[in-house]
Structure formats: C-alpha cells, structure tokens
Amino acid sequence: MATASTTGPGVPDRRGPARYLWWLVVSQPKRVALGAVLGSAWMVGLTLPPYVLSRAIDDGLRPGDEGALIGWTAALFIVGILDAWLGIMRHRTMTRIRLDAYFRTVRVVMDHATRLGAALPRRVSAGEVVTIGHSDVGVIGSTLTVTGPGVGAVIAYAVVAALLLSFSVLLAIVVLLGVPLLALFVGPFLGRLQGAETAYRERQGALAGVLGDLAAGLRVLNGLGGKQVFAARYRAGSRELRDEGHRVGSSMSWIQAFGIGLPSVFLAAVTWLAARMAAQGAITVGELVAVYGYVAVLVVPVSSFLESGYDISRGLVSARRVVDFLNLAPETWSAVPTSGGKSGTVALGASGEAPGVGEHALGVREATVGAPEAPAVLHDHLSGVKVEPGILTALASTRTSEATEVVDRLGRFTLGSVTWGAVRLDAVPLEQVRARILVADNEAALFAGTLRAALSGRLAPDEDALTHAVEAAAARDIVLGLPDGFDARLDAHGHNLSGGQRQRVRLARALLADPEVLLAVEPTSAVDAHTEAKMAAGLRAARAERTTLVTTTSPLVLDQADVVYHLVDGRVSAVGSHAGLLARHPDYRRLVSRDTEEATTAGATDVTEATEMRGSTGTDMHPTTDVAEKEAATAADAEQGRPDDRENSRPCSPEPTHGTLR
C-alpha cells in the first residue's frame, strides 16, 4: 500500500470507503500510533483517581491517619495533573490527525479534478464537488478521531473490568455483558443513520449545484423574467433537503440520547448493586467509592464506543462519495496495435477501453510522440475543419454547440480524430499541447483578485503588454472605469463586471498569453456592435501571422477572417471568405441574415436588453439593417473571375465595410 510522501498526498486506495479510510490511517502511522497511546493512557488514567480516593478513605480517613490521608491526597493531585497533560497532548495529536486526513483528502480530490480537466463538468456537477470539498472532507477528518479515543475506550473498558473483578465477579460480569448489549441496541440506529445520511448528502450536492447556477445566472434571469421560476425550484429542493435533514436528525438524536442516557442507566444499575454489597459488608466503603468511580469513568469509553460508531457510519458515507469521485476515469489516449500490425494511437473512453478495440489493447504504454517543431495544420477529420498556420479562421454554425465541439476536439478537451501536422494530436504529450494550444472559452472562470492577476495568470507581463492586450480586446474603458485600474479588485467569477466586460477581459487574457494556436469560442457574443467591431479588428491585429480560430456568426467578426468554415450538422458544408460565402451559398447567407434580423428586432426596442439576451442565449444580435444583402451584392462584385472560394486571402471590396454600414 502506497503511503504519503513529504511532497504529495500519496496514492489513495479507491477500492471502497472503508479501504479509503484505512489508507488515511496508514498514511500517518506514527501520528496515529501516538494518538492511540495518548488516548489509551488518558482513559486508563481516568481510572486512577477512584482507586487513589478509595485508598485515601480506607487508609487515611476511616482510621484517622493524617499522614496517609495527606499522602493519598497529594497522589490524587499528581494524578489529576498527569491526566490533564495527557488530555491536552491527546487532543493536540488528534487535531493533527484530523487535519492531515482533511487536507490529504482535499489534495487528492483537487489533483483528480485537475486530471479530469474539461471532462469534469460532463462527469459530475459543480454542486457535488462543492459538497465534497466543503462537508465530506470535514466528516472524514472527524472520523479518524476514533484512532485515539476509540482505541483508548477498548483498553479502558478492559482495565475497568479487571479492576471490578478484583472486587466482585458479579460486578465484572455485569460490566462485561452490559456494554456489548448497549452497542447492539444502538446498532440499528447507526444503519438507519447511514442510509439517511447518504440520501441527504446526495440531495445536498444537487441543491448546491442549483444554487450555483442560480447565483451565476442571476443577471440573465432578471432580464428574462425567469428568476422566480428558478427560485421556486430552489425552494422546493430546499424543502426536500430539509425533510431529509429531519430524518438524519431523528437518527442522530436517538444515537446521542442513547450515548448519554444508557451509560447513565448502566451506571445507576451497577452503583445500586455495589451499594447493596457494601451494606451487606461484602465490600468496604472505600471500595464502594472506587466502584462508583470506575463505573462513572466507564461512561466515557462507552460514550466513545457509541460516538465512534456514529463517526464511522458518517465517515463511510462521505468516503464513498470521495471514492466515487476518484473513480471517475479521465479521458486518456494510449498506443495500441492497429490492424496492420503497426503501432498507432486511439482515444480511450472513460472506462479505459478503446472504441472498437479489444481488451488486448489495454495496458499498452501511452504514446509519446513529440509535437511538431514548427507551426502546423490542425485538422479535425470528423468535421473536416483545417486550421492553417498563421491565419485567422472562423467557424459559423447554426448551432453553437457544434462549433464548440470542434474546438474541444482541436484543443484536446474531448476525444476525436485530430492531426497536428503529421502526428495525431492525441499522441502528443498533454503538457506540450497545453503549452502551445489555448482554448479561450466564453465561460472561462475569472478568479477573485486584482484585474492584473486575472489578466496575467502565471505570466509576469509589463505594463505595456497589459495595455496592448486590453486595447486589442477593446477593454481599455474597463481599466479606466475601475477605481484602481489594473490593481482593482474583481469579485469571484468577475461578478462586479457586466457580461460584456467579462468577455472582453477574457479575450484580453487570451491575447496576453500569446499562444501559438488560439481557439476562441464566441469571443464577442455579449457586446454591442460598435464594441464588437473594435474587438474583431483588435483580434486580427494582435494575432497577425499567428494561428487563430474563432467560432461566431457575427458578420463583423466573419469579415475579419481569412477563411470561414460553414458547419451543417457538425460537418463542413462550405469553405471560403465571408464575402464569397455570402455570394455563393444561400444557407450561409440565411444564417448571417437571421443573425442580423434578430438583432434588428431587439435593437428596435432596447439595444441594451438585446445585448443581455445575446449573452444569455449564445446568439449574436447586431442592430443593423439589410447588412447581409449588401454584403452579398458586394461579394458578387468582388468575386468576379475568382474560381475557388477556398482561397485564404481576404477580398478587397470597394463597397463600404461593415463598420461603415453600422
């Protein structure tokens, strides 16, 4: 079994919740052993005061021997000091054990979330991850407390039974049989608690996801009038979670009641029996006091038994959720033998098995083909899209999701048949892909911090580079409008910025990174036409002679592209310049025309509202009139004598540009 190193959390045991908890134990063996020793010493130490007190009564108080009384009183004081010190050290050690388990679990969860990468939101909800990171890791940490008091309770129970045996066999038998009966009585409630806790945790994760969606989309929901609908849904989910919480609380209340009440009843029964024996002369008064003290001390280990069962039950529920998350297999690629006998690479699914390839392919070493040394063509064979080096390429599709799927394959965020020059993209080490190909998603996160940090990431750009990036993204007004400029604070997810401002900040961040290949998804969908024109021009200038791909249906952006791919049902239907496609392909013209007409209708009532709607629906809207028809006429003139729409050079049209028309 692998244990943690000084630099990492180690390799978790994912074969089950109990095995995962055991892995947390063996990952810190010295600390756990110390906690068990201190916990046992502390609980056994609790049995010493009754013994010392009984000797003080029998040897010093009854005979009237002041020397013996003072001596045993001093011993009682020393025992008290020793128990206090043991209690402090036990608590300190158990706190370290809990925190180690807590942060070790956080590390393995975060490391696995990083390995899942873009597959994470497709495999598990954000609410589930939040619940694991917020609640389950704490429960797991508390569960490891049983390694100290739990072990100590067993030893203390045996010591008390042995001490009572020296006084009375009957008392010892009552104690030895009574405690197991208590555990059997509480057992069914622990099983019920585990089932209720599992349902509660699952519903809690789902509700956390709804709350996250509601908070993130509050601005859009206000504009669409849908806030009440989502709020009602959240209230209904909250009521269901409350009902589950009542069931959990019911089981917990019974367990806690038994944890306090049953040991007290047990104490009363044993004390009554010991008092009868003292009245009959079978034991002395001092021994009666000792028996009472022993049984009173026994309440602590008995309660620890019940609490340990409660903690283990809850810990297994939380550990099962962590293990289920850790068992989500990332999308990987592996080299396998092809039908021709040569080695090749195929994409493996979540189960780890290659589509269409038998089990013999599993376990073959992963391919390690280097990336092309020079800029090369990215070719998505499924759609037919080719991203040529050094030019600006655009993807236009009726359904935005189809273009996004192409980008995900080109950026190696989903499985697909993609080549990068002469090699398969899935054969290149992932770190090389990430270092040279950047996917700028329209919903990419903006973390809390300064605007400078949000733009820079792990880079350390100078002021000039920052300025050039924000100017290219038409975001200069954002910097000027913030009280501290680049050092202004951004809320989590950039919630103190508007949707259009967040989009421009994301584009500026991508431009500042200056990757060899930039794949941008709808980079201008949440801004007005004037800002969009500036962003399109800035993008082209900033990425001159660099490989760039954008997905869009905006005429302003499409006109800046060197080559446009029109996708229909996820495959290339036509390729050419924007003007050429307008002139020769009616479907493409209708796509752009519809885009323009929608914006015209929205702009007639409220341009600001139209922009907000576009940011929420992913559809570009441009308040212009008959732009597509004019472009079609312009393109027809410009394309006279041009035999092929697939040329990469942009047409030079004598007609007014898009910016002029708008």
Side-chain angles (χ1 to χ4, degrees), residues 27-56:
S27 294
Q28 42 178 335
K30 293 181 179 180
R31 191 179 292 125
V32 169
L34 178 61
V37 169
L38 291 173
S40 301
W42 175 71
M43 282 201 175
V44 171
L46 295 178
T47 64
L48 294 178
Y51 172 78
V52 175
L53 186 60
S54 68
R55 295 299 303 271

PDB file of all heavy atoms in Angstrom, residues 27-56:
ATOM      1  N   SER A  27      -1.425   6.284   6.239  1.00  0.00           N
ATOM      2  CA  SER A  27      -0.617   7.350   5.649  1.00  0.00           C
ATOM      3  C   SER A  27       0.090   8.184   6.709  1.00  0.00           C
ATOM      4  O   SER A  27       1.001   8.936   6.396  1.00  0.00           O
ATOM      5  CB  SER A  27      -1.496   8.262   4.779  1.00  0.00           C
ATOM      6  OG  SER A  27      -1.993   7.556   3.663  1.00  0.00           O
ATOM      7  N   GLN A  28      -0.328   8.079   7.955  1.00  0.00           N
ATOM      8  CA  GLN A  28       0.332   8.794   9.053  1.00  0.00           C
ATOM      9  C   GLN A  28       0.474   7.847  10.251  1.00  0.00           C
ATOM     10  O   GLN A  28      -0.099   8.109  11.323  1.00  0.00           O
ATOM     11  CB  GLN A  28      -0.473  10.046   9.421  1.00  0.00           C
ATOM     12  CG  GLN A  28      -1.978   9.841   9.465  1.00  0.00           C
ATOM     13  CD  GLN A  28      -2.717  11.089   9.866  1.00  0.00           C
ATOM     14  OE1 GLN A  28      -2.179  11.984  10.547  1.00  0.00           O
ATOM     15  NE2 GLN A  28      -3.965  11.197   9.466  1.00  0.00           N
ATOM     16  N   PRO A  29       1.224   6.750  10.091  1.00  0.00           N
ATOM     17  CA  PRO A  29       1.256   5.698  11.120  1.00  0.00           C
ATOM     18  C   PRO A  29       1.823   6.159  12.460  1.00  0.00           C
ATOM     19  O   PRO A  29       1.300   5.783  13.513  1.00  0.00           O
ATOM     20  CB  PRO A  29       2.129   4.614  10.485  1.00  0.00           C
ATOM     21  CG  PRO A  29       2.956   5.332   9.457  1.00  0.00           C
ATOM     22  CD  PRO A  29       2.087   6.428   8.939  1.00  0.00           C
ATOM     23  N   LYS A  30       2.879   6.950  12.443  1.00  0.00           N
ATOM     24  CA  LYS A  30       3.489   7.377  13.704  1.00  0.00           C
ATOM     25  C   LYS A  30       2.544   8.265  14.499  1.00  0.00           C
ATOM     26  O   LYS A  30       2.394   8.113  15.717  1.00  0.00           O
ATOM     27  CB  LYS A  30       4.800   8.113  13.423  1.00  0.00           C
ATOM     28  CG  LYS A  30       5.883   7.220  12.836  1.00  0.00           C
ATOM     29  CD  LYS A  30       7.170   8.009  12.613  1.00  0.00           C
ATOM     30  CE  LYS A  30       8.264   7.117  12.044  1.00  0.00           C
ATOM     31  NZ  LYS A  30       9.527   7.868  11.806  1.00  0.00           N
ATOM     32  N   ARG A  31       1.888   9.185  13.800  1.00  0.00           N
ATOM     33  CA  ARG A  31       0.972  10.093  14.491  1.00  0.00           C
ATOM     34  C   ARG A  31      -0.234   9.334  15.035  1.00  0.00           C
ATOM     35  O   ARG A  31      -0.705   9.597  16.148  1.00  0.00           O
ATOM     36  CB  ARG A  31       0.536  11.204  13.538  1.00  0.00           C
ATOM     37  CG  ARG A  31      -0.197  12.341  14.227  1.00  0.00           C
ATOM     38  CD  ARG A  31      -0.586  13.417  13.240  1.00  0.00           C
ATOM     39  NE  ARG A  31       0.584  14.109  12.725  1.00  0.00           N
ATOM     40  CZ  ARG A  31       0.867  14.239  11.438  1.00  0.00           C
ATOM     41  NH1 ARG A  31       0.082  13.698  10.537  1.00  0.00           N
ATOM     42  NH2 ARG A  31       1.928  14.916  11.048  1.00  0.00           N
ATOM     43  N   VAL A  32      -0.758   8.395  14.237  1.00  0.00           N
ATOM     44  CA  VAL A  32      -1.904   7.607  14.692  1.00  0.00           C
ATOM     45  C   VAL A  32      -1.515   6.736  15.889  1.00  0.00           C
ATOM     46  O   VAL A  32      -2.283   6.602  16.856  1.00  0.00           O
ATOM     47  CB  VAL A  32      -2.455   6.744  13.540  1.00  0.00           C
ATOM     48  CG1 VAL A  32      -3.457   5.719  14.054  1.00  0.00           C
ATOM     49  CG2 VAL A  32      -3.106   7.625  12.482  1.00  0.00           C
ATOM     50  N   ALA A  33      -0.328   6.136  15.829  1.00  0.00           N
ATOM     51  CA  ALA A  33       0.131   5.308  16.955  1.00  0.00           C
ATOM     52  C   ALA A  33       0.274   6.156  18.217  1.00  0.00           C
ATOM     53  O   ALA A  33      -0.129   5.738  19.322  1.00  0.00           O
ATOM     54  CB  ALA A  33       1.455   4.646  16.602  1.00  0.00           C
ATOM     55  N   LEU A  34       0.831   7.372  18.069  1.00  0.00           N
ATOM     56  CA  LEU A  34       0.965   8.260  19.228  1.00  0.00           C
ATOM     57  C   LEU A  34      -0.400   8.653  19.772  1.00  0.00           C
ATOM     58  O   LEU A  34      -0.615   8.689  20.995  1.00  0.00           O
ATOM     59  CB  LEU A  34       1.755   9.508  18.826  1.00  0.00           C
ATOM     60  CG  LEU A  34       1.950  10.566  19.923  1.00  0.00           C
ATOM     61  CD1 LEU A  34       2.724   9.979  21.100  1.00  0.00           C
ATOM     62  CD2 LEU A  34       2.668  11.799  19.355  1.00  0.00           C
ATOM     63  N   GLY A  35      -1.338   8.924  18.865  1.00  0.00           N
ATOM     64  CA  GLY A  35      -2.681   9.277  19.315  1.00  0.00           C
ATOM     65  C   GLY A  35      -3.345   8.130  20.053  1.00  0.00           C
ATOM     66  O   GLY A  35      -4.046   8.344  21.058  1.00  0.00           O
ATOM     67  N   ALA A  36      -3.147   6.899  19.575  1.00  0.00           N
ATOM     68  CA  ALA A  36      -3.726   5.737  20.252  1.00  0.00           C
ATOM     69  C   ALA A  36      -3.113   5.551  21.637  1.00  0.00           C
ATOM     70  O   ALA A  36      -3.820   5.253  22.613  1.00  0.00           O
ATOM     71  CB  ALA A  36      -3.522   4.488  19.402  1.00  0.00           C
ATOM     72  N   VAL A  37      -1.792   5.733  21.745  1.00  0.00           N
ATOM     73  CA  VAL A  37      -1.121   5.590  23.041  1.00  0.00           C
ATOM     74  C   VAL A  37      -1.603   6.664  24.009  1.00  0.00           C
ATOM     75  O   VAL A  37      -1.942   6.375  25.172  1.00  0.00           O
ATOM     76  CB  VAL A  37       0.403   5.666  22.855  1.00  0.00           C
ATOM     77  CG1 VAL A  37       1.099   5.782  24.215  1.00  0.00           C
ATOM     78  CG2 VAL A  37       0.912   4.442  22.108  1.00  0.00           C
ATOM     79  N   LEU A  38      -1.641   7.912  23.550  1.00  0.00           N
ATOM     80  CA  LEU A  38      -2.080   9.003  24.423  1.00  0.00           C
ATOM     81  C   LEU A  38      -3.546   8.855  24.799  1.00  0.00           C
ATOM     82  O   LEU A  38      -3.938   9.107  25.951  1.00  0.00           O
ATOM     83  CB  LEU A  38      -1.844  10.347  23.733  1.00  0.00           C
ATOM     84  CG  LEU A  38      -0.384  10.758  23.555  1.00  0.00           C
ATOM     85  CD1 LEU A  38      -0.287  12.025  22.711  1.00  0.00           C
ATOM     86  CD2 LEU A  38       0.278  10.979  24.909  1.00  0.00           C
ATOM     87  N   GLY A  39      -4.384   8.451  23.800  1.00  0.00           N
ATOM     88  CA  GLY A  39      -5.800   8.256  24.110  1.00  0.00           C
ATOM     89  C   GLY A  39      -6.016   7.142  25.113  1.00  0.00           C
ATOM     90  O   GLY A  39      -6.836   7.263  26.033  1.00  0.00           O
ATOM     91  N   SER A  40      -5.259   6.060  24.975  1.00  0.00           N
ATOM     92  CA  SER A  40      -5.386   4.947  25.912  1.00  0.00           C
ATOM     93  C   SER A  40      -4.880   5.340  27.293  1.00  0.00           C
ATOM     94  O   SER A  40      -5.514   5.033  28.323  1.00  0.00           O
ATOM     95  CB  SER A  40      -4.605   3.738  25.393  1.00  0.00           C
ATOM     96  OG  SER A  40      -5.090   3.341  24.122  1.00  0.00           O
ATOM     97  N   ALA A  41      -3.725   6.025  27.322  1.00  0.00           N
ATOM     98  CA  ALA A  41      -3.161   6.445  28.605  1.00  0.00           C
ATOM     99  C   ALA A  41      -4.098   7.407  29.321  1.00  0.00           C
ATOM    100  O   ALA A  41      -4.271   7.341  30.545  1.00  0.00           O
ATOM    101  CB  ALA A  41      -1.800   7.095  28.383  1.00  0.00           C
ATOM    102  N   TRP A  42      -4.728   8.293  28.563  1.00  0.00           N
ATOM    103  CA  TRP A  42      -5.648   9.257  29.178  1.00  0.00           C
ATOM    104  C   TRP A  42      -6.870   8.552  29.768  1.00  0.00           C
ATOM    105  O   TRP A  42      -7.271   8.827  30.900  1.00  0.00           O
ATOM    106  CB  TRP A  42      -6.079  10.282  28.130  1.00  0.00           C
ATOM    107  CG  TRP A  42      -7.122  11.236  28.623  1.00  0.00           C
ATOM    108  CD1 TRP A  42      -6.950  12.236  29.528  1.00  0.00           C
ATOM    109  CD2 TRP A  42      -8.501  11.265  28.240  1.00  0.00           C
ATOM    110  NE1 TRP A  42      -8.139  12.900  29.740  1.00  0.00           N
ATOM    111  CE2 TRP A  42      -9.108  12.317  28.950  1.00  0.00           C
ATOM    112  CE3 TRP A  42      -9.262  10.508  27.368  1.00  0.00           C
ATOM    113  CZ2 TRP A  42     -10.452  12.624  28.812  1.00  0.00           C
ATOM    114  CZ3 TRP A  42     -10.603  10.821  27.215  1.00  0.00           C
ATOM    115  CH2 TRP A  42     -11.191  11.859  27.935  1.00  0.00           C
ATOM    116  N   MET A  43      -7.445   7.625  28.991  1.00  0.00           N
ATOM    117  CA  MET A  43      -8.636   6.938  29.503  1.00  0.00           C
ATOM    118  C   MET A  43      -8.304   6.015  30.663  1.00  0.00           C
ATOM    119  O   MET A  43      -9.070   5.911  31.628  1.00  0.00           O
ATOM    120  CB  MET A  43      -9.315   6.160  28.381  1.00  0.00           C
ATOM    121  CG  MET A  43     -10.128   7.035  27.453  1.00  0.00           C
ATOM    122  SD  MET A  43     -11.366   6.101  26.556  1.00  0.00           S
ATOM    123  CE  MET A  43     -12.202   7.428  25.694  1.00  0.00           C
ATOM    124  N   VAL A  44      -7.189   5.314  30.589  1.00  0.00           N
ATOM    125  CA  VAL A  44      -6.781   4.476  31.720  1.00  0.00           C
ATOM    126  C   VAL A  44      -6.457   5.353  32.922  1.00  0.00           C
ATOM    127  O   VAL A  44      -6.754   4.997  34.079  1.00  0.00           O
ATOM    128  CB  VAL A  44      -5.581   3.599  31.325  1.00  0.00           C
ATOM    129  CG1 VAL A  44      -5.007   2.881  32.552  1.00  0.00           C
ATOM    130  CG2 VAL A  44      -5.990   2.583  30.261  1.00  0.00           C
ATOM    131  N   GLY A  45      -5.869   6.520  32.655  1.00  0.00           N
ATOM    132  CA  GLY A  45      -5.567   7.441  33.746  1.00  0.00           C
ATOM    133  C   GLY A  45      -6.804   7.907  34.479  1.00  0.00           C
ATOM    134  O   GLY A  45      -6.740   8.256  35.671  1.00  0.00           O
ATOM    135  N   LEU A  46      -7.944   7.913  33.800  1.00  0.00           N
ATOM    136  CA  LEU A  46      -9.183   8.309  34.462  1.00  0.00           C
ATOM    137  C   LEU A  46      -9.606   7.311  35.536  1.00  0.00           C
ATOM    138  O   LEU A  46     -10.398   7.656  36.440  1.00  0.00           O
ATOM    139  CB  LEU A  46     -10.310   8.446  33.423  1.00  0.00           C
ATOM    140  CG  LEU A  46     -10.157   9.556  32.384  1.00  0.00           C
ATOM    141  CD1 LEU A  46     -11.317   9.524  31.401  1.00  0.00           C
ATOM    142  CD2 LEU A  46     -10.071  10.924  33.046  1.00  0.00           C
ATOM    143  N   THR A  47      -9.097   6.088  35.443  1.00  0.00           N
ATOM    144  CA  THR A  47      -9.446   5.081  36.455  1.00  0.00           C
ATOM    145  C   THR A  47      -8.590   5.209  37.718  1.00  0.00           C
ATOM    146  O   THR A  47      -8.913   4.585  38.746  1.00  0.00           O
ATOM    147  CB  THR A  47      -9.269   3.667  35.877  1.00  0.00           C
ATOM    148  OG1 THR A  47      -7.884   3.442  35.574  1.00  0.00           O
ATOM    149  CG2 THR A  47     -10.093   3.490  34.610  1.00  0.00           C
ATOM    150  N   LEU A  48      -7.502   5.973  37.661  1.00  0.00           N
ATOM    151  CA  LEU A  48      -6.623   6.104  38.825  1.00  0.00           C
ATOM    152  C   LEU A  48      -7.240   6.926  39.961  1.00  0.00           C
ATOM    153  O   LEU A  48      -7.090   6.551  41.136  1.00  0.00           O
ATOM    154  CB  LEU A  48      -5.282   6.707  38.405  1.00  0.00           C
ATOM    155  CG  LEU A  48      -4.428   5.838  37.468  1.00  0.00           C
ATOM    156  CD1 LEU A  48      -3.146   6.572  37.090  1.00  0.00           C
ATOM    157  CD2 LEU A  48      -4.100   4.500  38.133  1.00  0.00           C
ATOM    158  N   PRO A  49      -7.903   8.062  39.681  1.00  0.00           N
ATOM    159  CA  PRO A  49      -8.482   8.826  40.807  1.00  0.00           C
ATOM    160  C   PRO A  49      -9.435   8.025  41.691  1.00  0.00           C
ATOM    161  O   PRO A  49      -9.360   8.149  42.932  1.00  0.00           O
ATOM    162  CB  PRO A  49      -9.189   9.995  40.098  1.00  0.00           C
ATOM    163  CG  PRO A  49      -8.411  10.192  38.848  1.00  0.00           C
ATOM    164  CD  PRO A  49      -8.023   8.811  38.422  1.00  0.00           C
ATOM    165  N   PRO A  50     -10.353   7.187  41.144  1.00  0.00           N
ATOM    166  CA  PRO A  50     -11.194   6.387  42.053  1.00  0.00           C
ATOM    167  C   PRO A  50     -10.383   5.453  42.956  1.00  0.00           C
ATOM    168  O   PRO A  50     -10.717   5.278  44.146  1.00  0.00           O
ATOM    169  CB  PRO A  50     -12.088   5.596  41.097  1.00  0.00           C
ATOM    170  CG  PRO A  50     -12.140   6.405  39.860  1.00  0.00           C
ATOM    171  CD  PRO A  50     -10.783   7.023  39.758  1.00  0.00           C
ATOM    172  N   TYR A  51      -9.330   4.869  42.387  1.00  0.00           N
ATOM    173  CA  TYR A  51      -8.502   3.971  43.201  1.00  0.00           C
ATOM    174  C   TYR A  51      -7.795   4.750  44.313  1.00  0.00           C
ATOM    175  O   TYR A  51      -7.799   4.335  45.487  1.00  0.00           O
ATOM    176  CB  TYR A  51      -7.484   3.272  42.314  1.00  0.00           C
ATOM    177  CG  TYR A  51      -6.464   2.476  43.091  1.00  0.00           C
ATOM    178  CD1 TYR A  51      -6.799   1.233  43.619  1.00  0.00           C
ATOM    179  CD2 TYR A  51      -5.188   2.973  43.311  1.00  0.00           C
ATOM    180  CE1 TYR A  51      -5.883   0.500  44.346  1.00  0.00           C
ATOM    181  CE2 TYR A  51      -4.254   2.251  44.044  1.00  0.00           C
ATOM    182  CZ  TYR A  51      -4.604   1.016  44.560  1.00  0.00           C
ATOM    183  OH  TYR A  51      -3.690   0.300  45.298  1.00  0.00           O
ATOM    184  N   VAL A  52      -7.179   5.883  43.965  1.00  0.00           N
ATOM    185  CA  VAL A  52      -6.476   6.699  44.967  1.00  0.00           C
ATOM    186  C   VAL A  52      -7.460   7.202  46.015  1.00  0.00           C
ATOM    187  O   VAL A  52      -7.161   7.228  47.226  1.00  0.00           O
ATOM    188  CB  VAL A  52      -5.748   7.873  44.276  1.00  0.00           C
ATOM    189  CG1 VAL A  52      -5.129   8.801  45.312  1.00  0.00           C
ATOM    190  CG2 VAL A  52      -4.680   7.350  43.328  1.00  0.00           C
ATOM    191  N   LEU A  53      -8.653   7.587  45.591  1.00  0.00           N
ATOM    192  CA  LEU A  53      -9.664   8.091  46.525  1.00  0.00           C
ATOM    193  C   LEU A  53     -10.113   6.988  47.491  1.00  0.00           C
ATOM    194  O   LEU A  53     -10.289   7.236  48.703  1.00  0.00           O
ATOM    195  CB  LEU A  53     -10.868   8.628  45.742  1.00  0.00           C
ATOM    196  CG  LEU A  53     -11.953   9.330  46.561  1.00  0.00           C
ATOM    197  CD1 LEU A  53     -11.374  10.543  47.292  1.00  0.00           C
ATOM    198  CD2 LEU A  53     -13.099   9.776  45.653  1.00  0.00           C
ATOM    199  N   SER A  54     -10.260   5.766  46.968  1.00  0.00           N
ATOM    200  CA  SER A  54     -10.663   4.662  47.857  1.00  0.00           C
ATOM    201  C   SER A  54      -9.582   4.368  48.899  1.00  0.00           C
ATOM    202  O   SER A  54      -9.891   4.087  50.073  1.00  0.00           O
ATOM    203  CB  SER A  54     -10.957   3.409  47.031  1.00  0.00           C
ATOM    204  OG  SER A  54      -9.768   2.896  46.442  1.00  0.00           O
ATOM    205  N   ARG A  55      -8.320   4.454  48.496  1.00  0.00           N
ATOM    206  CA  ARG A  55      -7.232   4.232  49.460  1.00  0.00           C
ATOM    207  C   ARG A  55      -7.174   5.356  50.486  1.00  0.00           C
ATOM    208  O   ARG A  55      -6.883   5.107  51.673  1.00  0.00           O
ATOM    209  CB  ARG A  55      -5.893   4.119  48.719  1.00  0.00           C
ATOM    210  CG  ARG A  55      -5.786   2.916  47.799  1.00  0.00           C
ATOM    211  CD  ARG A  55      -5.937   1.612  48.582  1.00  0.00           C
ATOM    212  NE  ARG A  55      -4.963   1.495  49.639  1.00  0.00           N
ATOM    213  CZ  ARG A  55      -3.754   0.946  49.485  1.00  0.00           C
ATOM    214  NH1 ARG A  55      -3.410   0.429  48.312  1.00  0.00           N
ATOM    215  NH2 ARG A  55      -2.933   0.855  50.516  1.00  0.00           N
ATOM    216  N   ALA A  56      -7.443   6.569  50.038  1.00  0.00           N
ATOM    217  CA  ALA A  56      -7.446   7.691  50.993  1.00  0.00           C
ATOM    218  C   ALA A  56      -8.541   7.511  52.035  1.00  0.00           C
ATOM    219  O   ALA A  56      -8.346   7.834  53.224  1.00  0.00           O
ATOM    220  CB  ALA A  56      -7.638   9.007  50.247  1.00  0.00           C
TER     221      ALA A  56
END
